[in-house]
Amino acid sequence: MFFRQVTGWLCLTLALFSSNPSAYGWNKPTHMAIGAIAYHDLQSASPQTVDRVVTLLRQHPYYQRQWLPLMDSLQLPATQRDEYLFMLAARWPDDIRNRDPYHDKPNWHFINYIYAPKQGMARTDTTLATGETILQAYAQNRQILTSPAPDSAKAVALCWLFHLTGDVHMPLHTTALVDPQFPQGDKGGNLFRIKVMMSSPTSNLHSFWDGMLLHTDTYASVDSMAVGEQRDFTRKQLPQLGNPDVTAWSKESFQLAQDNAYRSNTLQPGTAQEGSLLPPDYVATVRPIAQRQVALAGYRLADELVTDLGS
């Protein structure tokens, strides 16, 4: 029935689309901040969960050869090392992109719900085919974390849960805009060419959302962002925290993409040579939304860790 309801170009899209280019969710510093939010939240609410997470992360395949030497080189004091491990865990799946074929899973970072506004369509019951989605990956890694698997495998799964919790809260990691300009989807905004200002180089909508909040990955800058997020968005201000379902989180993000990232299809893409200028109020409007999503991700990650590791 679905395929009979859409035009030929959308049918062709659903039948043929099978890949997505490498696309990061939040940039690495923002993922690190999500990890830091979870750390701070757990330090006060469930310190035993922090201990369990740190114990597992010390069994990660990258701990001895990369993470520990890095912390030594940064001369991080003992009081900061546990938090920094949370930060490293959250960014690790992006650090290994195209570098570690064994652990790298490009399709795990997103799901392409179909947003075809010219057809009056926004579907969460149908997705563009891309292999395993972020929802399947989340379930798989949570299963590993709560299984009798070796601690090294659990540590890898733990990093994926850190990272995927962040990615699913980035609106453009749940959405494919499908229309005559993008008959195979705009790949989560990666093909949607924009300029922030007339003097800015042409970029894309996905990259803009990726790096909107934080650009430096030092411990101090990331920790400062995490503290600010928790000050500006307390748990009491986020009633969505009552829903622990990752599928529901993805649908929240999909709605935000439609209403805010694409502005209900009023945002116009440019060309590869010349991006379309964002509306004057765009940045000021979407930045608080991105900040709220990051806070939600950090708190939800903390809650998931308590559920899976706190007992």
Side-chain angles (χ1 to χ4, degrees):
M1 174 66 70
F2 168 68
F3 290 102
R4 291 195 295 271
Q5 293 175 338
V6 297
T7 60
W9 56 265
L10 186 54
C11 291
L12 183 63
T13 294
L14 297 175
L16 299 181
F17 188 87
S18 61
S19 63
N20 195 69
S22 294
Y24 292 89
W26 306 113
N27 64 5
K28 293 176 184 180
T30 306
H31 272 291
M32 294 170 74
I34 291 170
I37 292 168
Y39 173 83
H40 285 299
D41 191 63
L42 290 172
Q43 273 290 84
S44 59
S46 181
Q48 68 273 20
T49 302
V50 173
D51 293 342
R52 179 61 177 144
V53 169
V54 169
T55 298
L56 282 176
L57 290 177
R58 287 174 179 165
Q59 303 304 311
H60 193 282
Y62 279 51
Y63 179 78
Q64 290 292 337
R65 72 174 186 258
Q66 289 194 19
W67 294 351
L68 184 58
L70 175 60
M71 289 189 288
D72 289 341
S73 70
L74 295 175
Q75 298 182 326
L76 289 177
T79 55
Q80 296 177 356
R81 289 191 173 218
D82 289 353
E83 182 183 0
Y84 199 65
L85 270 181
F86 272 62
M87 296 178 184
L88 290 174
R91 66 175 284 169
W92 178 75
D94 278 348
D95 286 334
I96 63 169
R97 295 288 287 266
N98 303 314
R99 296 182 180 181
D100 182 344
Y102 180 76
H103 291 110
D104 186 17
K105 308 289 184 183
N107 290 338
W108 279 8
H109 296 255
F110 61 93
I111 184 168
N112 279 333
Y113 293 133
I114 299 170
Y115 179 42
K118 287 183 169 56
Q119 303 301 312
M121 183 183 301
R123 308 269 312 218
T124 57
D125 60 341
T126 305
T127 66
L128 297 185
T130 56
E132 289 182 313
T133 70
I134 194 170
L135 303 185
Q136 293 166 309
Y138 191 92
Q140 288 178 32
N141 284 284
R142 189 179 178 201
Q143 183 178 35
I144 292 171
L145 188 61
T146 56
S147 76
D151 282 354
S152 58
K154 289 185 177 183
V156 170
L158 191 56
C159 288
W160 275 109
L161 287 175
F162 269 63
H163 190 82
L164 298 177
T165 301
D167 275 349
V168 80
H169 284 83
M170 202 286 224
L172 292 172
H173 264 243
T174 63
T175 311
L177 172 66
V178 179
D179 66 11
Q181 184 171 349
F182 306 115
Q184 295 184 344
D186 75 336
K187 305 187 189 309
N190 277 283
L191 301 181
F192 197 107
R193 304 296 184 179
I194 56 97
K195 296 176 73 170
V196 179
M197 298 181 294
M198 284 299 298
S199 59
S200 303
T202 290
S203 182
N204 65 72
L205 196 62
H206 192 108
S207 294
F208 168 79
W209 276 78
D210 272 357
M212 190 191 317
L213 300 179
L214 187 63
H215 300 285
T216 56
D217 64 357
T218 64
Y219 170 86
S221 62
V222 172
D223 181 68
S224 178
M225 177 179 170
V227 171
E229 284 275 324
Q230 290 182 276
R231 179 192 63 240
D232 296 338
F233 299 93
T234 66
R235 279 183 169 269
K236 291 181 179 179
Q237 294 172 298
L238 300 170
Q240 306 97 315
L241 288 172
N243 191 339
D245 179 26
V246 66
T247 300
W249 305 347
S250 71
K251 292 179 181 180
E252 291 172 2
S253 290
F254 182 49
Q255 191 65 55
L256 289 174
Q258 297 169 62
D259 297 343
N260 298 282
Y262 295 109
R263 284 203 166 179
S264 301
N265 199 39
T266 62
L267 198 68
Q268 297 301 313
T271 66
Q273 293 74 32
E274 186 69 22
S276 178
L277 186 65
L278 290 176
D281 65 337
Y282 187 84
V283 177
T285 301
V286 301
R287 183 178 174 84
I289 294 167
Q291 291 172 319
R292 187 187 65 213
Q293 287 298 100
V294 166
L296 268 174
Y299 291 134
R300 281 170 165 166
L301 172 60
D303 290 343
E304 187 61 59
L305 294 174
V306 169
T307 297
D308 291 342
L309 299 174
S311 60

